Amino acid sequence: MRISQQAKQENRNKILTVAKELFITKGFEDTTTRDVAQATGMATGTLFNYFPSKETLAMHIVRKALQQGYEDYKNRKTGEENLSEELYLFIFSGLRKLQPYHSFLGPVFERSLSPFPRKTLCVEGEATKKNQLHAVSRIIHSHGFDMSENTMISIMYWSVYLGILAFWVNDESPKQQESHAFIDYALHFFVHAISGTEPQLRNE
Amino acid sequence: MRDNALLNQQQHDTELLNLLPKAMKDDPTAEKLASFLDKISYKKIPTSSFSRMWLLGSLHTKVTAGYLAYWLKSRFADEDKKNRLKNEAHLAAALQLFGTMGYLRGAVLKVGQALANLPELLPDQFAEILDSLHFEAPAMHYSMIREVFLDEFGAEPEQLFAKFERKAFAAASLGQVHRATLHTGEEVAVKIQYPNIAQTIQADVRSLRLLLQTLRFSDQWASLHAKLEDIEQVLLQEADYLREANFYQQAAEMFSNPDEKIIVPKVFIEFTRQRVLTTEYLQGVHLQEFLAQEPTQAQRDAFCHLLNISSLRPYYQRKWCIADPHAGNFIFMPDGCLGLIDFGCIRVLNDEEWRLNCELEQAVIEDDEAKFEQILAKASYFDSPADMSAEHLALLKKFSLWAFAPWKAKGALNFGEKDFYLNGMDCFIELMRKGYTQGDPVYLWSNRFILGYRVMAYRLRGSAVLSTIFQQERPFRYPH
């Protein structure tokens, strides 16, 4: 039986809603695709028509959240930010949208974004990486630096970003306050490395 | 540019060496220490903001590190060579750790007189250093401020305020202060705390406790341990701006009469959270700028009078020990009013501490020497004055009499008189040098309270008639 595009979209949304709920309540590791399919009221095989793996499903949630974060960043940006400040705004706008999923994102990132060689690549993970690097490349470019694909700067940024995500998912401090300080540090470090300039200080 | 930087560095080196205790310079092992200190002082990490947090960057910090080293070293002075070398290795490791602590340097600065000696300093240098003994949180850029606001209020600064200045106009302990305007038109000062500072304080104090483990068999360990506990508590309380807001409100009650010319800014509690404190903005200048205007003696005296009231009323009425009085916390207003703008570092005396302080005060006022000595011994954890060395007791008495001198002064007391000032500072410095620091942790704060206000009044070169102030502020009388 063929189903309409609208019904497909509805199913997709339903799967995403149910998966978010299960990941938050049971955790990513303890939730199976079968659990998601059952709770959605569809066969496991049918679910795979929409999302080929649990990782893809979770990373889709991540990618959408980061996209919303990117929109927020564009709205919040004043144009007066220096490079590290703007990157901070960009990264935090994304993290705020990821915040509701903070409890289950550790293993998701580990499996989908790991920079180490893997048998299978997570399509959504790769798309997330591409989107992030593209957005950052534009930011960096607007401050007079170049960050083309696969250049040293791009690799460096991605390493810094993965470090930030790793720190953030492990951050149990109230409102992830430790991450604020860490990200500030990390970005000053990155910006100094690519620009050779020193950020302006409060009393200077 | 580079040559200039080098020249500045060399000047700093010379200044540092000049400031270090003479004993440290003459002692060959201290040379090793100095060179080690030198090495870690200039360990280069790429950005300036890093250097503020990770390097022993400023002169004052270097001096404090030097004194910390000296103080630690002096604990080992009597030991044999083998032990001394072992301890110096511990000390090197301790200093290495100290150099990597983000905020603890500030904490050590803050309680400098307790953890690190400040001997051999000229009184003016002491005044200057005491004045800069506060936490130095790193600067926050505006994007970070916005995130703090989103965490605390769920709204951006621009949504909360009609106008919010992106750049900070002052540094604060643990954060920075921005000017803003409320939608109702009031000009306000918004103090914002650097994220995660409370946890950092706890982690740093833990590290300090660890690095001081080498002293655990010394007779002062219990006292030191208790002091660290107390320091941690007070610093953590300072990180709670809601608590500070409460102190502001209590202070406003105490100074509600505008004719008294002491102004406590209003707190806007709806714009205040644990990490954000919004208060009325006071027009005026800090002490240094006030002095640069070459005020008349009458103006100096008037402010000196207000300064004394501002410290004694909270002490007598609420048992507050305002433990961090420095120039940045007072506003000299154009209409002759004194603005009080920081209530973060307040140590409230408990009943036992209060009773002991009152007894000490009474003993001084009534010239009851036996009682006076007995209380000093008790405060220093001795059973009786006979258990103290004659030198220790004499120095402590001398310092306490200096601290209480205003209570006994007849007529106006000139706080700007150098001999009076030197008398107390020398005595205090001598107590520190001799290692006579054992005692109840509360004296960390009451010493800072007394010394802080004395330094302010000395720099102000003002006089005040204390007898009138005591009569007015002390809510009780001693039988005579």
Side-chain angles (χ1 to χ4, degrees):
Chain A
M1 189 183 77
R2 292 179 69 84
I3 61 166
S4 68
Q5 274 306 76
Q6 190 190 341
K8 267 189 182 174
Q9 193 53 49
E10 279 170 9
N11 279 347
R12 216 177 148 80
N13 290 344
K14 201 172 168 190
I15 293 169
L16 287 168
T17 310
V18 165
K20 279 178 202 171
E21 234 177 77
L22 283 172
F23 290 155
I24 291 169
T25 50
K26 285 182 74 176
F28 179 74
E29 308 268 29
D30 293 335
T31 304
T32 61
T33 41
R34 183 183 293 183
D35 294 336
V36 180
Q38 260 179 5
T40 324
M42 61 175 69
T44 312
T46 314
L47 185 137
F48 287 135
N49 289 336
Y50 293 91
F51 297 99
S53 66
K54 192 169 72 166
E55 286 74 20
T56 316
L57 174 52
M59 273 312 287
H60 182 82
I61 296 168
V62 169
R63 189 165 63 82
K64 285 289 168 197
L66 288 176
Q67 266 174 10
Q68 287 169 3
Y70 185 53
E71 292 306 313
D72 277 1
Y73 144 78
K74 286 196 288 188
N75 293 331
R76 295 174 72 199
K77 188 184 151 197
T78 64
E80 291 177 47
E81 294 85 0
N82 65 24
L83 180 52
S84 53
E85 201 179 338
E86 189 168 345
L87 287 172
Y88 186 94
L89 181 70
F90 167 72
I91 290 174
F92 251 95
S93 299
L95 291 180
R96 284 208 177 272
K97 292 295 173 191
L98 289 179
Q99 176 57 39
Y101 319 121
H102 182 263
S103 62
F104 73 82
L105 287 179
V108 178
F109 289 156
E110 190 194 355
R111 291 194 205 168
S112 314
L113 295 176
S114 169
F116 296 103
R118 281 169 288 159
K119 271 188 191 160
T120 50
L121 285 180
C122 171
V123 183
E124 285 286 349
E126 289 306 300
T128 304
K129 178 178 176 183
K130 198 175 161 193
N131 290 350
Q132 282 288 305
L133 289 178
H134 182 67
V136 170
S137 163
R138 290 177 66 161
I139 294 171
I140 287 182
H141 187 75
S142 72
H143 287 270
F145 301 99
D146 180 48
M147 192 183 95
S148 310
E149 215 177 326
N150 290 326
T151 56
M152 196 59 84
I153 296 184
S154 142
I155 295 165
M156 244 177 90
Y157 175 78
W158 189 243
S159 307
V160 169
Y161 186 65
L162 288 183
I164 286 172
L165 289 181
F167 190 93
W168 180 77
V169 293
N170 284 309
D171 183 358
E172 299 298 333
S173 64
K175 295 174 183 168
Q176 276 82 49
Q177 280 186 46
E178 275 183 35
S179 297
H180 285 269
F182 177 77
I183 294 171
D184 191 38
Y185 257 51
L187 290 176
H188 278 312
F189 190 76
F190 172 72
V191 168
H192 179 74
I194 68 166
S195 67
T197 56
E198 302 211 345
Q200 211 179 3
L201 291 178
R202 176 174 58 196
N203 298 327
E204 285 173 359
Chain B
M1 283 291 278
R2 214 181 152 75
D3 287 348
N4 275 345
L6 201 65
L7 201 66
N8 281 340
Q9 200 90 310
Q10 282 166 352
Q11 277 169 351
H12 271 190
D13 281 355
T14 318
E15 275 180 73
L16 173 64
L17 284 173
N18 286 339
L19 284 171
L20 285 175
K22 283 190 189 69
M24 189 166 169
K25 278 189 286 180
D26 299 340
D27 180 347
T29 52
E31 263 176 42
K32 269 201 318 211
L33 205 60
S35 101
F36 181 78
L37 196 63
D38 188 54
K39 215 164 65 191
I40 60 170
S41 296
Y42 301 123
K43 220 190 307 169
K44 192 74 182 154
I45 293 176
T47 71
S48 308
S49 56
F50 269 27
S51 69
R52 291 187 66 166
M53 296 180 80
W54 292 99
L55 293 182
L56 296 170
S58 72
L59 176 67
H60 289 152
T61 319
K62 277 186 261 173
V63 170
T64 309
Y67 288 124
L68 180 67
Y70 179 75
W71 176 77
L72 286 167
K73 208 171 82 66
S74 67
R75 310 293 105 176
F76 314 135
D78 299 333
E79 307 205 6
D80 63 29
K81 195 180 168 196
K82 191 179 155 204
N83 265 338
R84 214 172 53 228
L85 285 174
K86 196 177 83 188
N87 283 327
E88 279 179 9
H90 280 303
L91 179 55
L95 282 172
Q96 183 84 48
L97 187 59
F98 180 70
T100 63
M101 283 176 189
Y103 303 94
L104 187 63
R105 292 188 329 237
V108 172
L109 282 167
K110 196 166 199 128
V111 289
Q113 78 270 27
L115 293 179
N117 291 336
L118 294 170
E120 308 287 338
L121 272 185
L122 296 172
D124 286 336
Q125 287 169 323
F126 185 86
E128 198 187 307
I129 286 178
L130 197 72
D131 211 34
S132 64
L133 299 183
H134 31 105
F135 252 164
E136 202 176 75
M140 283 178 279
H141 52 62
Y142 188 56
S143 293
M144 202 164 186
I145 299 286
R146 294 171 78 180
E147 296 303 330
V148 174
F149 268 78
L150 282 176
D151 279 346
E152 294 295 324
F153 296 96
E156 302 255 12
E158 287 85 353
Q159 293 171 292
L160 285 177
F161 300 102
K163 202 176 139 207
F164 186 91
E165 285 186 9
R166 292 168 57 103
K167 281 210 181 308
F169 79 93
S173 51
L174 319 182
Q176 62 197 37
V177 194
H178 290 247
R179 284 187 71 170
T181 311
L182 298 182
H183 286 292
T184 42
E186 290 100 330
E187 295 277 313
V188 292
V190 187
K191 183 158 84 164
I192 303 151
Q193 194 178 109
Y194 193 82
N196 202 44
I197 211 126
Q199 286 76 8
T200 313
I201 290 168
Q202 285 173 317
D204 280 355
V205 173
R206 255 199 317 271
S207 305
L208 182 62
R209 209 171 274 135
L210 272 178
L211 75 82
L212 294 177
Q213 281 290 318
T214 47
L215 301 175
R216 69 191 177 283
F217 300 120
S218 76
D219 52 359
Q220 293 195 8
W221 176 244
S223 161
L224 181 66
H225 206 265
K227 279 177 183 156
L228 276 177
E229 295 272 322
D230 213 74
I231 289 165
E232 186 178 8
Q233 277 316 306
V234 173
L235 291 179
L236 285 177
Q237 284 168 356
E238 197 176 357
D240 181 357
Y241 286 174
L242 286 170
R243 183 180 186 271
E244 183 173 356
N246 181 272
F247 279 126
Y248 259 100
Q249 284 161 338
Q250 290 188 53
E253 284 168 24
M254 283 186 266
F255 298 107
S256 57
N257 180 359
D259 296 338
E260 287 190 320
K261 296 201 152 204
I262 293 178
I263 309 292
V264 177
K266 180 182 168 191
V267 172
F268 293 91
I269 204 74
E270 61 276 39
F271 300 101
T272 296
R273 294 288 184 277
Q274 195 155 358
R275 292 189 290 150
V276 179
L277 175 64
T278 304
T279 58
E280 175 189 358
Y281 175 78
L282 297 186
Q283 295 284 352
V285 294
H286 290 303
L287 178 63
Q288 204 163 349
E289 216 177 312
F290 172 73
L291 295 175
Q293 295 166 2
E294 296 182 358
T296 63
Q297 191 56 49
Q299 285 172 313
R300 289 169 185 268
D301 292 348
F303 274 117
C304 190
H305 176 79
L306 296 179
L307 203 59
N308 276 292
I309 294 180
S310 75
S311 64
L312 290 171
R313 185 172 302 171
Y315 174 73
Y316 282 120
Q317 284 193 9
R318 313 266 162 146
K319 302 172 189 171
W320 287 5
C321 190
I322 299 176
D324 189 22
H326 65 83
N329 293 347
F330 298 93
I331 300 282
F332 293 77
M333 299 172 72
D335 55 0
C337 290
L338 182 71
L340 312 179
I341 57 163
D342 195 315
F343 292 92
C345 194
I346 289 176
R347 169 70 155 76
V348 184
L349 304 188
N350 64 33
D351 290 345
E352 175 60 20
E353 290 161 351
W354 176 248
R355 196 181 54 76
L356 204 63
N357 270 17
C358 290
E359 282 177 15
L360 188 64
E361 184 181 321
Q362 187 179 3
V364 172
I365 289 170
E366 295 177 353
D367 293 321
D368 184 342
E369 192 159 353
K371 194 175 167 193
F372 180 48
E373 288 184 358
Q374 187 58 45
I375 296 167
L376 288 181
K378 192 176 172 191
S380 308
Y381 292 161
F382 288 98
D383 291 332
S384 89
D387 297 334
M388 300 171 79
S389 75
E391 186 188 39
H392 186 172
L393 183 62
L395 271 173
L396 205 57
K397 277 170 73 176
K398 195 176 164 196
F399 179 68
S400 304
L401 286 173
W402 176 78
F404 281 107
W407 274 252
K408 300 193 80 176
K410 292 184 174 65
L413 179 69
N414 180 4
F415 286 91
E417 193 195 308
K418 200 155 190 164
D419 283 348
F420 171 69
Y421 176 75
L422 274 180
N423 192 14
M425 288 296 163
D426 285 349
C427 187
F428 180 74
I429 284 166
E430 197 60 14
L431 274 169
M432 297 292 110
R433 281 187 62 186
K434 301 276 183 185
Y436 296 142
T437 52
Q438 177 175 307
D440 195 286
V442 74
Y443 296 106
L444 277 180
W445 309 106
S446 53
N447 284 346
R448 266 195 73 76
F449 173 62
I450 293 162
L451 293 172
Y453 278 103
R454 291 287 157 87
V455 166
M456 284 281 295
Y458 171 68
R459 292 177 70 189
L460 190 58
R461 303 271 188 272
S463 299
V465 184
L466 270 291
S467 53
T468 339
I469 297 177
F470 287 126
Q471 228 162 31
Q472 179 189 307
E473 303 302 332
R474 194 167 45 205
F476 49 85
R477 299 283 174 273
Y478 297 114
H480 193 64

